[in-house]
């Protein structure tokens, strides 16, 4: 074996073993969210903390830096989009970024985020932002230090966004989100001006839990979630995670007097799961077999949840099946009625309960605020008022208290700054992809009306899933759609929907 070959073998063995550890840690976390008896929590925290330390050591192992250095000029690295080239490029990128962070800062952040989450949970319960404010100040101060350590001084937000959307820059994201906001504010006002009321009372009827679960399993399997390689369970906070190349687990929660949360939540998580299941199994743990970015991951969940699951064609096919499972609640309901109900647009206080259109304004508000905070243009103590001001301005509503306002999300307390925009990037990417897929495949709603989701699934498998992280999100979108990020397909989609809903009245 020549030197390059042996270095490559050492590197790939190292990555494969790290993947074993990470997937084992994921299983511990899944178990914690779904099965763990209450008194098992302390030992579980020790297990997870120890595993996290092992993983961190492996990912910052100086040998990794040496191997990558030796491979930098090798043929294996020549094409950055090949399996080996993407592996070397992405590992090097992450290694460099991690290596810049002083251990002291990493430890300070770990402590601040752990305490921050506890204080946040208390503060939310007590409706007391002032109790959380000093901790939030500390968290943002450490985030500024982190950006400075990464060498990003111009706009520190760049360094933070990059953790979730590698290579994305704040300025173009800001421009896209601003244009999206300018289109959405009047569109939402038009949809909710009261001239065309949308009645969703049919969604508030009786939906027994067992029937919900059976229907969800039927639908998610039909769109492509493979239950031989995945599971559906119950958790307080729905999520989807993988614990190996053939082990993808999603969760949901049921409300027997409301149809939407479990159903659309499950379609959403199944979209994440279908993506994980479409990754190349033989490349598991390597960039070629890993999801591309949080924005691309979210594009897959949003695509199935909204662009497919809230379409008229989808309900032409599935409403008869829904009537089978919920005969008493849906016997008198037409496809048009049901389609309108699941597409009701209504400004509301809580992000996770928001509809397809207003959701993006919830995200834009958070993005604008966290960017102002990180740039010292907004003081933490002024955050609640700034929050309420933006809710009034963009959504026409005022949070009655901090619990339903500035304290509703866990993200900032956990140090997830720069994360929020990836939700809207996901919505934007999903519409770009869907428009492109429709251009290639023809009228997709006709397929859905026949219960045929195969052509769209195959398109996604080839175009998005098989690419893994051989491309970064901007590169992937450029390759697929000719544009890195473009809000117009999403705006067109929402405008058409509003017109259709209003016209159907
Ligand atoms: Zn998601």
């Amino acid at each position: 074996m020549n030197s390059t070959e042996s270095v490559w073998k050492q590197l790939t063995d190292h990555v494969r073993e790290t993947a074993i550890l990470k997937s084992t840690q994921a299983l511990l976390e899944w178990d914690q969210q779904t099965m763990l008896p209450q008194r098992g929590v302390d030992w579980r925290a020790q297990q997870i903390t120890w595993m996290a330390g092992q993983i961190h050591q492996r990912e910052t192992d100086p040998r990794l830096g040496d191997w990558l250095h030796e491979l930098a000029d090798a043929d294996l690295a020549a094409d950055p989009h090949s399996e080996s080239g993407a592996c070397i490029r992405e590992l090097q990128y992450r290694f460099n970024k991690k290596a810049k962070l002083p251990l002291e800062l990493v430890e300070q952040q770990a402590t601040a985020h752990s305490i921050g989450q506890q204080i946040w949970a208390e503060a939310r319960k007590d409706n007391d932002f002032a109790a959380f404010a000093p901790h939030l100040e500390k968290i943002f101060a450490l985030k500024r230090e982190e950006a400075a350590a990464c060498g990003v001084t111009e706009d520190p937000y760049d360094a933070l966004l990059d953790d979730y959307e590698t290579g994305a820059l704040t300025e173009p994201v800001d421009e896209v989100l601003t244009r999206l906001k300018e289109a959405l504010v009047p569109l939402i006002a038009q949809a909710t001006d009261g001239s065309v009321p949308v009645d969703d009372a049919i969604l508030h009827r009786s939906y027994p839990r067992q029937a919900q679960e059976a229907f969800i399993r039927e639908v998610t399997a039909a769109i492509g979630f493979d239950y031989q390689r995945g599971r559906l369970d119950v958790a307080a906070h729905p999520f989807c995670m993988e614990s190996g190349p053939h082990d993808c687990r999603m969760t949901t929660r049921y409300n027997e007097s409301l149809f939407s949360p479990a159903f659309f939540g499950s379609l959403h998580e199944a979209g994440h799961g279908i993506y994980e299941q479409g990754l190349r199994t033989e490349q598991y743990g390597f960039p070629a077999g890993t999801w591309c970015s949080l924005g691309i991951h979210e594009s897959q969940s949003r695509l199935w949840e909204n662009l497919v699951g809230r379409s008229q064609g989808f309900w032409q096919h599935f409403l008869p099946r829904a009537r089978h499972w919920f005969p008493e609640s849906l016997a008198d309901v037409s496809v048009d009625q049901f389609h309108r109900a699941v597409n009701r647009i209504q400004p509301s206080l809580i992000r996770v309960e928001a509809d397809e259109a207003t959701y993006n304004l919830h995200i834009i508000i958070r993005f604008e605020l966290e960017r102002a905070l990180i740039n010292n243009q907004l003081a933490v103590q002024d955050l609640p008022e700034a929050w309420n001001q933006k809710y009034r301005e963009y959504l026409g509503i005022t949070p009655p208290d901090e619990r339903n306002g500035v304290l509703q999300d866990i993200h900032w307390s956990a140090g997830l700054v720069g994360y929020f925009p990836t939700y809207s990037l996901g919505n934007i990417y999903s519409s770009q992809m869907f428009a492109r897929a429709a251009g290639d495949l023809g009228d997709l709603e006709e397929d859905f009306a026949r219960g045929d989701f195969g052509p769209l699934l195959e398109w996604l498998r080839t175009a998005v899933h098989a690419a893994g992280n051989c491309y970064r999100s901007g590169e992937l979108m450029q390759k697929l759609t000719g544009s890195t990020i473009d809000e117009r397909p999403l705006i067109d989609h929402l405008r058409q929907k509003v017109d259709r809903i209003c016209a159907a009245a």
Side-chain angles (χ1 to χ4, degrees), residues 268-269 272 298 301 423:
H268 180 99
E269 300 308 335
H272 283 304
E298 194 68 4
S301 57
Y423 292 115

Side-chain angles (χ1 to χ4, degrees), residues 113-176:
H113 301 158
S114 162
I115 295 171
Q117 287 175 70
Q118 289 169 36
I119 305 281
W120 165 79
E122 285 289 307
R124 185 169 76 149
K125 190 156 58 73
D126 300 341
N127 197 33
D128 183 7
F129 179 80
F132 178 49
H135 299 275
L136 191 59
E137 258 166 38
K138 172 87 180 165
I139 287 164
F140 271 88
L142 292 170
K143 282 284 157 186
R144 272 180 227 113
E145 270 186 54
E146 180 188 330
C150 290
V152 179
T153 47
E154 189 123 328
D155 188 342
Y157 197 85
D158 279 341
L160 308 178
L161 176 63
D162 181 82
D163 280 343
Y164 311 108
E165 203 68 20
T166 305
L169 292 172
T170 311
E171 204 45 51
V173 168
D174 182 52
E175 285 167 17
V176 159

